[in-house]
Amino acid sequence: MIFRLSDFRFPDPAERLYPETPDRPWVLEVGFGDGRFWPHFARTFPQPPNYLGVEISGVSLLKAHRRLKAAGLGNAVLTKLPADVLVREVIPHGALDLIVVNFPDPWPKAGHTEHRLLRAPFFELAASRLKPGGAVLLTTDHDEYFEFACGEAGKSGVMAVDTAQEPPPAALETKYALKWRDLGLGAHHARFRPTAHPQVPHGTTTPYPELETDVPHAVLTLPVSFEPAHFAKQTTRGQNWTVVLLDLYSSLRRDGWVALAHVVEGELTQEVLVGITRREDGSYLVRLAKFGGPIITPGVKAAVGAVTAWLESEGAEVRHRGY
Ligand SMILES: C[S@@+](CC[C@H](N)C(=O)[O-])C[C@H]1O[C@@H](n2cnc3c(N)ncnc32)[C@H](O)[C@@H]1O
């Protein structure tokens, strides 16, 4: 099953994601590529564990989905997101049995190591989301990234590093494993086991509210002189978010407009629409649209705030702020 970010709860327990198999072990694979690992690895268990796969490539998502469907693996959820966002926002504390990372992008250029996934903060986060006895399994061809990851795990202070074990055979059958094997390269393997389970908190993310009044909004009146053509692209920054109001579109069906906003919060980006719609009493409702499946974060609330602030700068009088 493919999940969008808005399909999740924050955090989301195994009982809800896998209602028919909540008691099975739970495995997260980061960067599953074309999805070859899971059908091989799942076969090594008496019953397939619950599987959550996270990828940033949409093409890979579709390939892996076809593969898992063909293998009849029903208790599997795939999603297109940066791994850090999924682990931080969606995975409950102490919920996972394994986190598997096969042949992660090595970011080999000097100055690019901050793009690497397996840095100390990720190990700390992983330790908080793994069960006691759980582990992160890393298999990679890349000598330097392997040393780096082992060093970062040590630096996190919450992971013991074991490099003595063989990788699971399934990790040596992925697309990248075969690619590097054909070139005569070997693979390194490490198991990182939590020595402590720090309580790395979840964010303040919530799903799009069911109750209309809970959707981030504002009510305001516009001056008769209001001129939407005054809109210009604009950027607002907060402590952990950046909102870019990209454009404003006129609605043909309703009396009003829609603003398109780009919201960046760490690795999470969302494109959201904020409607500005005339109400019966002549006032206007500025409200986050459901279109596109946004989730409610501080940055998304700030996007509603940014549209409201722009309208104020054009002479609007705000009657109510609900964001
Ligand atoms: C070198 S490929 C390896 C793919 C697969 N594991 C294999 O062994 O064939 C690395 C994969 O990680 C994905 N990826 C990179 N950064 C990611 C992130 N932050 N979250 C999730 N996936 C990521 C890439 O899109 C790519 O498919």
Side-chain angles (χ1 to χ4, degrees):
M1 214 184 315
I2 294 179
F3 266 47
R4 295 187 305 176
L5 183 55
S6 56
D7 294 324
F8 288 107
R9 298 289 172 269
F10 308 98
D12 212 346
E15 294 74 32
R16 200 192 76 90
L17 290 172
Y18 314 98
E20 286 167 21
T21 55
D23 298 325
R24 292 197 194 167
W26 189 3
V27 179
L28 168 72
E29 184 183 1
V30 175
F32 51 72
D34 67 2
R36 291 184 211 196
F37 172 76
W38 189 241
H40 279 278
F41 194 56
R43 273 203 295 272
T44 63
F45 294 80
Q47 291 178 310
N50 295 325
Y51 175 77
L52 179 57
V54 63
E55 238 309 325
I56 50 170
S57 154
V59 176
S60 295
L61 181 79
L62 296 179
K63 283 186 185 166
H65 186 238
R66 276 199 292 273
R67 209 179 281 276
L68 265 50
K69 230 174 145 189
L73 290 162
N75 54 335
V77 172
L78 299 177
T79 191
K80 180 178 170 299
L81 279 175
D84 177 81
V85 173
L86 180 87
V87 179
R88 187 176 301 277
E89 301 296 332
V90 174
I91 308 291
H93 289 287
L96 294 170
D97 292 83
L98 277 182
I99 299 175
V100 179
V101 190
N102 295 322
F103 302 91
D105 290 335
W107 294 97
K109 285 193 193 153
H112 282 191
T113 53
E114 80 272 15
H115 297 299
R116 289 178 169 170
L117 176 75
L118 297 175
R119 287 175 292 124
F122 183 82
F123 281 113
E124 211 185 315
L125 179 61
S128 85
R129 303 302 192 251
L130 283 164
K131 288 178 188 162
V136 178
L137 307 190
L138 167 67
T139 306
T140 177
D141 60 293
H142 202 273
D143 303 348
E144 199 269 315
Y145 190 12
F146 184 72
E147 292 303 322
F148 175 88
C150 292
E152 290 289 302
K155 222 191 265 181
S156 75
V158 292
M159 287 284 184
V161 184
D162 174 3
T163 56
Q165 299 194 45
E166 290 298 312
L172 303 178
E173 298 298 331
T174 69
K175 180 175 167 187
Y176 275 81
L178 298 181
K179 184 170 163 177
W180 301 129
R181 193 193 305 162
D182 286 349
L183 292 173
L185 296 172
H188 301 283
H189 180 69
R191 285 171 192 234
F192 306 102
R193 290 196 184 280
T195 51
H197 294 271
Q199 291 284 305
V200 180
H202 297 93
T204 53
T205 306
T206 56
Y208 192 89
E210 285 176 17
L211 260 183
E212 281 203 352
T213 47
D214 291 344
V215 177
H217 68 282
V219 178
L220 46 77
T221 50
L222 289 176
V224 273
S225 59
F226 176 65
E227 183 44 77
H230 287 172
F231 179 87
K233 182 178 160 184
Q234 51 204 275
T235 301
T236 321
R237 289 193 176 82
Q239 209 181 358
N240 296 313
W241 50 261
T242 301
V243 171
V244 187
L245 297 184
L246 291 165
D247 215 339
L248 187 72
Y249 305 99
S250 174
S251 170
L252 294 178
R253 210 165 55 79
R254 289 185 187 174
D255 191 355
W257 305 270
V258 174
L260 171 62
H262 181 69
V263 182
V264 182
E265 293 165 272
E267 289 203 46
L268 176 64
T269 58
Q270 298 191 76
E271 314 291 344
V272 302
L273 296 178
V274 180
I276 307 163
T277 315
R278 192 171 199 274
R279 306 198 312 168
E280 274 181 6
D281 67 358
S283 65
Y284 281 80
L285 176 65
V286 178
R287 189 169 63 190
L288 179 72
K290 196 172 184 183
F291 184 82
I295 55 163
I296 312 302
T297 59
V300 164
K301 291 181 186 173
V304 176
V307 173
T308 306
W310 172 67
L311 293 168
E312 277 185 287
S313 74
E314 293 292 312
E317 285 192 16
V318 178
R319 286 193 196 165
H320 167 75
R321 287 176 210 272
Y323 53 85

